[in-house]
Amino acid sequence: DAGITQSPRHKVTETGTPVTLRCHQTENHRYMYWYRQDPGHGLRLIHYSYGVKDTDKGEVSDGYSVSRSKTEDFLLTLESATSSQTSVYFCAISDPGTGIEKLFFGSGTQLSVL
Amino acid sequence: DQQVKQNSPSLSVQEGRISILNCDYTNSMFDYFLWYKKYPAEGPTFLISISSIKDKNEDGRFTVFLNKSAKHLSLHIVPSQPGDSAVYFCAASWRDAGNMLTFGGGTRLMVKP
């Protein structure tokens, strides 16, 4: 298994509260990603990072922010959680030039916003 | 609008038979296609891929076929095994997209013993 740890694995929170999800990798990969998985939509890219302090928006970035202060950590923050952000969140890592198949996913965080 | 679509949310197959999972795409720029497999409570894992310069790629029991004119690809699993029961995601990318993938909605495959 690729060394990717997501925390927490499960979280229940209330609408309007801030939430931070953490992704930690031990592979020293340069690229990190946050996806969300919803029924019928597959996985959709929220934000990604191509290096420390270098991040960019993905397909569904509204309501989310990210930070990457160290190579190994990529944080996803929901500033004010809404019920539409109930989803399973996956972190992924890759290295440029290693081929697109080399995209490794964490085990996911199940987030419920009540 | 979804650029990659998997129109069958679920598929049930008998053990030993062939499983065929389908995927359609709309973006002509896509030139690389992948299938991922996902078990419950785990992240997706890479299964097989195909470049647009090919129309078939085979890896053991898994074969992916690409029909560029129809913008359609399919994953064949022969013979199907109960351990193949999972959700399968089709994904697509293009040369200058780096490692950015666009995923389909997934198909849940159930292989019955």
Side-chain angles (χ1 to χ4, degrees), chain A residues 9 31 33 35 37-38 40-43 45 48 90 94-96 98-103 105-108, chain B residues 2 32 34 36 38 41-46 49 87 89 92-94 98-106:
Chain A
R9 290 298 310 275
Y31 289 3
Y33 313 78
Y35 286 88
Q37 183 201 353
D38 303 289
H41 290 278
L43 292 102
L45 184 64
Y48 62 99
F90 288 99
S94 72
D95 244 355
T98 59
I100 204 164
E101 296 90 346
K102 304 298 183 185
L103 182 67
F105 287 86
S107 297
Chain B
Q2 283 189 297
Y32 206 82
L34 306 90
Y36 280 80
K38 184 187 175 307
E42 295 182 11
T45 56
F46 169 74
S49 62
V87 177
F89 292 101
S93 185
W94 67 89
N99 284 10
M100 299 303 162
L101 296 176
T102 302
F103 286 84

Short mmCIF file of all heavy atoms in Angstrom, two decimals, chain A residues 9 31 33 35 37-38 40-43 45 48 90 94-96 98-103 105-108, chain B residues 2 32 34 36 38 41-46 49 87 89 92-94 98-106:
data_model
loop_
_atom_site.label_atom_id
_atom_site.label_comp_id
_atom_site.label_asym_id
_atom_site.label_seq_id
_atom_site.Cartn_x
_atom_site.Cartn_y
_atom_site.Cartn_z
N ARG A 9 -11.09 9.13 9.84
CA ARG A 9 -11.71 8.22 8.88
C ARG A 9 -13.21 8.47 8.78
O ARG A 9 -13.81 8.25 7.73
CB ARG A 9 -11.47 6.76 9.31
CG ARG A 9 -10.03 6.30 9.15
CD ARG A 9 -9.55 6.35 7.69
NE ARG A 9 -10.46 5.70 6.77
CZ ARG A 9 -10.46 4.40 6.50
NH1 ARG A 9 -9.60 3.61 7.10
NH2 ARG A 9 -11.30 3.90 5.62
N TYR A 31 2.98 15.68 -6.00
CA TYR A 31 1.59 16.08 -6.24
C TYR A 31 0.65 15.44 -5.22
O TYR A 31 0.79 14.25 -4.91
CB TYR A 31 1.13 15.65 -7.64
CG TYR A 31 1.75 16.40 -8.79
CD1 TYR A 31 2.73 17.36 -8.61
CD2 TYR A 31 1.35 16.13 -10.09
CE1 TYR A 31 3.29 18.03 -9.68
CE2 TYR A 31 1.90 16.80 -11.17
CZ TYR A 31 2.88 17.74 -10.96
OH TYR A 31 3.44 18.40 -12.03
N TYR A 33 -3.72 15.48 -4.09
CA TYR A 33 -5.05 15.82 -4.60
C TYR A 33 -6.10 15.54 -3.54
O TYR A 33 -5.95 14.63 -2.73
CB TYR A 33 -5.41 14.96 -5.82
CG TYR A 33 -4.35 14.86 -6.89
CD1 TYR A 33 -3.25 14.02 -6.73
CD2 TYR A 33 -4.46 15.60 -8.07
CE1 TYR A 33 -2.28 13.92 -7.71
CE2 TYR A 33 -3.50 15.49 -9.06
CZ TYR A 33 -2.41 14.65 -8.88
OH TYR A 33 -1.46 14.55 -9.86
N TYR A 35 -10.18 14.56 -3.68
CA TYR A 35 -11.36 14.22 -4.46
C TYR A 35 -12.54 14.00 -3.51
O TYR A 35 -12.36 13.64 -2.35
CB TYR A 35 -11.17 12.92 -5.23
CG TYR A 35 -10.27 12.99 -6.44
CD1 TYR A 35 -8.89 12.81 -6.32
CD2 TYR A 35 -10.80 13.20 -7.71
CE1 TYR A 35 -8.07 12.85 -7.44
CE2 TYR A 35 -9.98 13.25 -8.83
CZ TYR A 35 -8.63 13.07 -8.69
OH TYR A 35 -7.82 13.11 -9.80
N GLN A 37 -16.23 11.72 -3.51
CA GLN A 37 -16.98 10.69 -4.22
C GLN A 37 -18.43 10.75 -3.80
O GLN A 37 -18.75 10.65 -2.62
CB GLN A 37 -16.44 9.29 -3.92
CG GLN A 37 -17.16 8.21 -4.72
CD GLN A 37 -17.02 6.83 -4.11
OE1 GLN A 37 -16.28 6.62 -3.16
NE2 GLN A 37 -17.72 5.88 -4.67
N ASP A 38 -19.30 10.89 -4.79
CA ASP A 38 -20.74 10.93 -4.56
C ASP A 38 -21.42 9.97 -5.52
O ASP A 38 -20.98 9.82 -6.67
CB ASP A 38 -21.27 12.35 -4.77
CG ASP A 38 -20.58 13.37 -3.89
OD1 ASP A 38 -20.83 13.34 -2.68
OD2 ASP A 38 -19.79 14.17 -4.42
N GLY A 40 -23.27 8.35 -8.39
CA GLY A 40 -23.61 8.85 -9.71
C GLY A 40 -22.63 9.84 -10.29
O GLY A 40 -22.66 10.13 -11.49
N HIS A 41 -21.76 10.38 -9.45
CA HIS A 41 -20.79 11.37 -9.92
C HIS A 41 -19.37 10.85 -9.95
O HIS A 41 -18.46 11.51 -10.43
CB HIS A 41 -20.84 12.62 -9.04
CG HIS A 41 -22.10 13.42 -9.19
ND1 HIS A 41 -22.30 14.33 -10.21
CD2 HIS A 41 -23.23 13.42 -8.46
CE1 HIS A 41 -23.50 14.86 -10.08
NE2 HIS A 41 -24.08 14.34 -9.03
N GLY A 42 -19.15 9.70 -9.42
CA GLY A 42 -17.78 9.19 -9.37
C GLY A 42 -16.93 10.05 -8.46
O GLY A 42 -17.40 10.56 -7.44
N LEU A 43 -15.69 10.21 -8.85
CA LEU A 43 -14.77 11.04 -8.09
C LEU A 43 -14.58 12.37 -8.81
O LEU A 43 -14.31 12.40 -10.01
CB LEU A 43 -13.41 10.35 -7.93
CG LEU A 43 -13.43 9.11 -7.05
CD1 LEU A 43 -13.42 7.86 -7.90
CD2 LEU A 43 -12.24 9.12 -6.11
N LEU A 45 -12.55 16.16 -8.65
CA LEU A 45 -11.39 16.83 -8.08
C LEU A 45 -11.79 18.14 -7.41
O LEU A 45 -12.45 18.99 -8.01
CB LEU A 45 -10.35 17.09 -9.18
CG LEU A 45 -9.04 17.71 -8.75
CD1 LEU A 45 -8.27 16.78 -7.81
CD2 LEU A 45 -8.19 18.04 -9.98
N TYR A 48 -5.90 20.56 -5.83
CA TYR A 48 -4.69 19.79 -5.92
C TYR A 48 -3.48 20.67 -5.60
O TYR A 48 -3.58 21.91 -5.60
CB TYR A 48 -4.54 19.12 -7.28
CG TYR A 48 -4.44 20.06 -8.45
CD1 TYR A 48 -3.22 20.39 -9.01
CD2 TYR A 48 -5.59 20.60 -9.02
CE1 TYR A 48 -3.14 21.25 -10.10
CE2 TYR A 48 -5.52 21.46 -10.10
CZ TYR A 48 -4.30 21.78 -10.64
OH TYR A 48 -4.22 22.63 -11.71
N PHE A 90 -11.45 11.58 -0.69
CA PHE A 90 -10.24 10.80 -0.92
C PHE A 90 -9.08 11.73 -1.22
O PHE A 90 -9.19 12.66 -2.02
CB PHE A 90 -10.42 9.84 -2.10
CG PHE A 90 -11.31 8.69 -1.82
CD1 PHE A 90 -12.63 8.70 -2.22
CD2 PHE A 90 -10.83 7.58 -1.12
CE1 PHE A 90 -13.47 7.64 -1.95
CE2 PHE A 90 -11.66 6.51 -0.84
CZ PHE A 90 -12.98 6.54 -1.25
N SER A 94 0.77 11.56 -6.35
CA SER A 94 1.48 11.09 -7.54
C SER A 94 2.76 11.88 -7.69
O SER A 94 2.97 12.90 -7.02
CB SER A 94 0.62 11.23 -8.80
OG SER A 94 0.50 12.60 -9.18
N ASP A 95 3.62 11.38 -8.56
CA ASP A 95 4.85 12.09 -8.87
C ASP A 95 4.85 12.43 -10.36
O ASP A 95 4.52 11.58 -11.18
CB ASP A 95 6.07 11.22 -8.53
CG ASP A 95 6.91 11.82 -7.43
OD1 ASP A 95 6.61 12.95 -7.00
OD2 ASP A 95 7.88 11.16 -7.03
N PRO A 96 5.24 13.65 -10.73
CA PRO A 96 5.25 13.99 -12.15
C PRO A 96 6.25 13.13 -12.90
O PRO A 96 7.32 12.80 -12.41
CB PRO A 96 5.70 15.47 -12.15
CG PRO A 96 6.39 15.67 -10.85
CD PRO A 96 5.73 14.74 -9.88
N THR A 98 5.97 10.02 -13.65
CA THR A 98 5.95 8.59 -13.36
C THR A 98 4.79 7.88 -14.03
O THR A 98 4.61 6.69 -13.86
CB THR A 98 5.86 8.33 -11.84
OG1 THR A 98 4.68 8.95 -11.33
CG2 THR A 98 7.07 8.87 -11.13
N GLY A 99 3.99 8.61 -14.79
CA GLY A 99 2.88 7.95 -15.47
C GLY A 99 1.58 8.13 -14.72
O GLY A 99 1.55 8.11 -13.49
N ILE A 100 0.56 8.27 -15.47
CA ILE A 100 -0.73 8.61 -14.88
C ILE A 100 -1.30 7.46 -14.06
O ILE A 100 -2.16 7.65 -13.21
CB ILE A 100 -1.70 9.07 -15.98
CG1 ILE A 100 -2.78 9.96 -15.40
CG2 ILE A 100 -2.30 7.87 -16.71
CD1 ILE A 100 -3.51 10.73 -16.45
N GLU A 101 -0.80 6.22 -14.33
CA GLU A 101 -1.29 5.10 -13.53
C GLU A 101 -0.82 5.19 -12.10
O GLU A 101 -1.36 4.56 -11.21
CB GLU A 101 -0.81 3.77 -14.11
CG GLU A 101 -1.32 3.44 -15.48
CD GLU A 101 -0.42 3.97 -16.56
OE1 GLU A 101 0.45 4.81 -16.25
OE2 GLU A 101 -0.57 3.55 -17.72
N LYS A 102 0.25 5.96 -11.87
CA LYS A 102 0.84 6.03 -10.55
C LYS A 102 0.14 7.06 -9.69
O LYS A 102 0.76 7.95 -9.11
CB LYS A 102 2.33 6.36 -10.66
CG LYS A 102 3.10 5.40 -11.53
CD LYS A 102 3.08 3.98 -11.00
CE LYS A 102 3.95 3.08 -11.87
NZ LYS A 102 3.85 1.66 -11.46
N LEU A 103 -1.17 6.97 -9.66
CA LEU A 103 -1.98 7.83 -8.80
C LEU A 103 -2.52 6.94 -7.70
O LEU A 103 -3.27 6.01 -7.96
CB LEU A 103 -3.13 8.46 -9.60
CG LEU A 103 -4.05 9.43 -8.86
CD1 LEU A 103 -3.30 10.69 -8.48
CD2 LEU A 103 -5.24 9.78 -9.74
N PHE A 105 -4.42 6.33 -4.01
CA PHE A 105 -5.45 6.92 -3.17
C PHE A 105 -5.34 6.45 -1.74
O PHE A 105 -4.95 5.31 -1.46
CB PHE A 105 -6.84 6.54 -3.70
CG PHE A 105 -7.24 7.24 -4.96
CD1 PHE A 105 -6.87 6.75 -6.20
CD2 PHE A 105 -7.98 8.41 -4.91
CE1 PHE A 105 -7.23 7.40 -7.37
CE2 PHE A 105 -8.36 9.07 -6.07
CZ PHE A 105 -7.97 8.56 -7.29
N GLY A 106 -5.74 7.33 -0.83
CA GLY A 106 -5.92 6.94 0.56
C GLY A 106 -7.23 6.19 0.73
O GLY A 106 -7.97 5.98 -0.24
N SER A 107 -7.52 5.79 1.95
CA SER A 107 -8.71 4.97 2.22
C SER A 107 -9.98 5.78 2.39
O SER A 107 -11.06 5.20 2.52
CB SER A 107 -8.48 4.11 3.46
OG SER A 107 -7.41 3.22 3.25
N GLY A 108 -9.87 7.09 2.42
CA GLY A 108 -11.06 7.92 2.44
C GLY A 108 -11.48 8.39 3.82
O GLY A 108 -11.16 7.78 4.84
N GLN B 2 -21.33 15.78 -17.46
CA GLN B 2 -20.31 14.77 -17.27
C GLN B 2 -19.63 14.43 -18.58
O GLN B 2 -20.30 14.10 -19.57
CB GLN B 2 -20.92 13.51 -16.67
CG GLN B 2 -21.21 13.64 -15.17
CD GLN B 2 -21.61 12.31 -14.56
OE1 GLN B 2 -22.63 11.73 -14.93
NE2 GLN B 2 -20.82 11.82 -13.64
N TYR B 32 -6.09 9.10 -23.13
CA TYR B 32 -5.63 8.04 -22.24
C TYR B 32 -6.77 7.69 -21.31
O TYR B 32 -7.41 8.57 -20.74
CB TYR B 32 -4.40 8.50 -21.45
CG TYR B 32 -3.52 7.38 -21.03
CD1 TYR B 32 -2.58 6.84 -21.91
CD2 TYR B 32 -3.62 6.82 -19.76
CE1 TYR B 32 -1.77 5.78 -21.54
CE2 TYR B 32 -2.82 5.77 -19.39
CZ TYR B 32 -1.90 5.26 -20.27
OH TYR B 32 -1.10 4.21 -19.91
N LEU B 34 -8.35 4.90 -18.25
CA LEU B 34 -7.97 4.00 -17.18
C LEU B 34 -9.22 3.42 -16.52
O LEU B 34 -10.29 4.03 -16.55
CB LEU B 34 -7.18 4.75 -16.09
CG LEU B 34 -5.94 5.52 -16.52
CD1 LEU B 34 -6.30 6.96 -16.89
CD2 LEU B 34 -4.91 5.55 -15.40
N TYR B 36 -10.31 1.93 -12.70
CA TYR B 36 -9.96 1.75 -11.30
C TYR B 36 -11.00 0.85 -10.65
O TYR B 36 -12.17 0.84 -11.02
CB TYR B 36 -9.96 3.11 -10.57
CG TYR B 36 -8.73 3.93 -10.78
CD1 TYR B 36 -8.55 4.67 -11.94
CD2 TYR B 36 -7.72 3.97 -9.83
CE1 TYR B 36 -7.41 5.43 -12.14
CE2 TYR B 36 -6.57 4.72 -10.01
CZ TYR B 36 -6.43 5.44 -11.17
OH TYR B 36 -5.30 6.20 -11.36
N LYS B 38 -12.62 -0.36 -6.87
CA LYS B 38 -12.73 0.11 -5.49
C LYS B 38 -13.55 -0.85 -4.66
O LYS B 38 -14.70 -1.14 -4.98
CB LYS B 38 -13.38 1.51 -5.47
CG LYS B 38 -13.44 2.09 -4.06
CD LYS B 38 -14.22 3.36 -4.03
CE LYS B 38 -14.37 3.85 -2.58
NZ LYS B 38 -14.91 2.85 -1.66
N ALA B 41 -14.76 0.77 1.83
CA ALA B 41 -13.87 1.29 2.86
C ALA B 41 -12.40 1.35 2.42
O ALA B 41 -11.50 1.45 3.27
CB ALA B 41 -13.99 0.49 4.16
N GLU B 42 -12.17 1.29 1.11
CA GLU B 42 -10.81 1.44 0.60
C GLU B 42 -10.81 2.49 -0.50
O GLU B 42 -11.85 2.82 -1.07
CB GLU B 42 -10.29 0.11 0.03
CG GLU B 42 -10.12 -0.97 1.06
CD GLU B 42 -9.54 -2.24 0.46
OE1 GLU B 42 -9.10 -2.20 -0.71
OE2 GLU B 42 -9.53 -3.27 1.15
N GLY B 43 -9.61 3.00 -0.81
CA GLY B 43 -9.51 3.91 -1.93
C GLY B 43 -9.47 3.15 -3.25
O GLY B 43 -9.18 1.95 -3.28
N PRO B 44 -9.75 3.83 -4.37
CA PRO B 44 -9.64 3.18 -5.67
C PRO B 44 -8.20 2.76 -5.95
O PRO B 44 -7.25 3.42 -5.53
CB PRO B 44 -10.07 4.29 -6.65
CG PRO B 44 -10.81 5.28 -5.82
CD PRO B 44 -10.20 5.23 -4.46
N THR B 45 -8.07 1.66 -6.68
CA THR B 45 -6.75 1.21 -7.11
C THR B 45 -6.74 1.02 -8.62
O THR B 45 -7.74 0.57 -9.20
CB THR B 45 -6.33 -0.10 -6.42
OG1 THR B 45 -7.34 -1.09 -6.67
CG2 THR B 45 -6.17 0.09 -4.93
N PHE B 46 -5.62 1.34 -9.23
CA PHE B 46 -5.48 1.24 -10.67
C PHE B 46 -5.60 -0.22 -11.13
O PHE B 46 -5.02 -1.13 -10.52
CB PHE B 46 -4.14 1.82 -11.09
CG PHE B 46 -3.77 1.52 -12.52
CD1 PHE B 46 -4.41 2.20 -13.56
CD2 PHE B 46 -2.82 0.56 -12.83
CE1 PHE B 46 -4.09 1.92 -14.87
CE2 PHE B 46 -2.49 0.28 -14.14
CZ PHE B 46 -3.13 0.96 -15.16
N SER B 49 -5.11 0.22 -18.18
CA SER B 49 -5.24 1.46 -18.94
C SER B 49 -5.07 1.19 -20.42
O SER B 49 -4.66 0.10 -20.83
CB SER B 49 -4.18 2.48 -18.48
OG SER B 49 -2.87 1.98 -18.73
N VAL B 87 -16.70 -1.76 -7.02
CA VAL B 87 -17.14 -0.67 -7.89
C VAL B 87 -16.00 -0.35 -8.85
O VAL B 87 -14.84 -0.23 -8.43
CB VAL B 87 -17.51 0.59 -7.08
CG1 VAL B 87 -17.88 1.74 -8.03
CG2 VAL B 87 -18.67 0.30 -6.14
N PHE B 89 -14.49 2.21 -11.71
CA PHE B 89 -14.55 3.56 -12.26
C PHE B 89 -13.75 3.64 -13.54
O PHE B 89 -12.59 3.19 -13.60
CB PHE B 89 -13.98 4.58 -11.27
CG PHE B 89 -14.80 4.77 -10.02
CD1 PHE B 89 -14.43 4.16 -8.83
CD2 PHE B 89 -15.93 5.57 -10.05
CE1 PHE B 89 -15.18 4.35 -7.68
CE2 PHE B 89 -16.69 5.76 -8.91
CZ PHE B 89 -16.32 5.14 -7.72
N ALA B 92 -10.51 9.23 -17.57
CA ALA B 92 -9.88 9.67 -18.81
C ALA B 92 -9.00 10.88 -18.58
O ALA B 92 -9.23 11.66 -17.63
CB ALA B 92 -10.96 10.00 -19.86
N SER B 93 -8.01 11.02 -19.44
CA SER B 93 -7.11 12.16 -19.34
C SER B 93 -6.57 12.48 -20.74
O SER B 93 -6.86 11.76 -21.69
CB SER B 93 -5.96 11.86 -18.39
OG SER B 93 -5.15 12.99 -18.21
N TRP B 94 -5.80 13.54 -20.84
CA TRP B 94 -5.13 13.84 -22.11
C TRP B 94 -3.72 14.29 -21.83
O TRP B 94 -3.35 14.63 -20.72
CB TRP B 94 -5.91 14.86 -22.94
CG TRP B 94 -5.97 16.25 -22.37
CD1 TRP B 94 -5.10 17.27 -22.55
CD2 TRP B 94 -7.01 16.75 -21.50
NE1 TRP B 94 -5.53 18.36 -21.87
CE2 TRP B 94 -6.69 18.08 -21.23
CE3 TRP B 94 -8.16 16.18 -20.96
CZ2 TRP B 94 -7.50 18.87 -20.43
CZ3 TRP B 94 -8.96 16.96 -20.16
CH2 TRP B 94 -8.63 18.29 -19.90
N GLY B 98 -1.38 16.52 -17.42
CA GLY B 98 -0.60 16.03 -16.30
C GLY B 98 -1.22 14.78 -15.74
O GLY B 98 -1.58 13.88 -16.47
N ASN B 99 -1.40 14.73 -14.46
CA ASN B 99 -2.03 13.56 -13.85
C ASN B 99 -3.49 13.83 -13.50
O ASN B 99 -4.04 13.22 -12.60
CB ASN B 99 -1.26 13.16 -12.60
CG ASN B 99 0.03 12.44 -12.94
OD1 ASN B 99 0.44 12.42 -14.11
ND2 ASN B 99 0.68 11.88 -11.96
N MET B 100 -4.13 14.75 -14.22
CA MET B 100 -5.53 15.06 -13.94
C MET B 100 -6.44 14.05 -14.62
O MET B 100 -6.31 13.80 -15.82
CB MET B 100 -5.86 16.46 -14.45
CG MET B 100 -5.04 17.54 -13.80
SD MET B 100 -5.22 17.53 -12.02
CE MET B 100 -3.79 18.47 -11.55
N LEU B 101 -7.31 13.48 -13.86
CA LEU B 101 -8.24 12.49 -14.37
C LEU B 101 -9.67 12.97 -14.23
O LEU B 101 -10.02 13.61 -13.24
CB LEU B 101 -8.09 11.18 -13.60
CG LEU B 101 -6.76 10.45 -13.70
CD1 LEU B 101 -6.75 9.24 -12.79
CD2 LEU B 101 -6.50 10.04 -15.14
N THR B 102 -10.48 12.63 -15.22
CA THR B 102 -11.93 12.83 -15.14
C THR B 102 -12.57 11.47 -15.01
O THR B 102 -12.35 10.59 -15.86
CB THR B 102 -12.45 13.55 -16.40
OG1 THR B 102 -11.79 14.79 -16.55
CG2 THR B 102 -13.95 13.78 -16.28
N PHE B 103 -13.35 11.28 -13.95
CA PHE B 103 -13.90 9.98 -13.63
C PHE B 103 -15.37 9.87 -14.05
O PHE B 103 -16.12 10.85 -14.02
CB PHE B 103 -13.82 9.70 -12.13
CG PHE B 103 -12.46 9.38 -11.63
CD1 PHE B 103 -11.56 10.38 -11.30
CD2 PHE B 103 -12.06 8.06 -11.47
CE1 PHE B 103 -10.29 10.08 -10.84
CE2 PHE B 103 -10.79 7.74 -11.00
CZ PHE B 103 -9.90 8.76 -10.69
N GLY B 104 -15.75 8.65 -14.38
CA GLY B 104 -17.16 8.34 -14.55
C GLY B 104 -17.80 8.06 -13.20
O GLY B 104 -17.11 8.05 -12.17
N GLY B 105 -19.11 7.82 -13.21
CA GLY B 105 -19.85 7.65 -11.97
C GLY B 105 -19.69 6.30 -11.30
O GLY B 105 -20.12 6.13 -10.16
N GLY B 106 -19.10 5.35 -12.00
CA GLY B 106 -18.86 4.05 -11.40
C GLY B 106 -19.96 3.03 -11.72
O GLY B 106 -21.12 3.38 -11.94
#
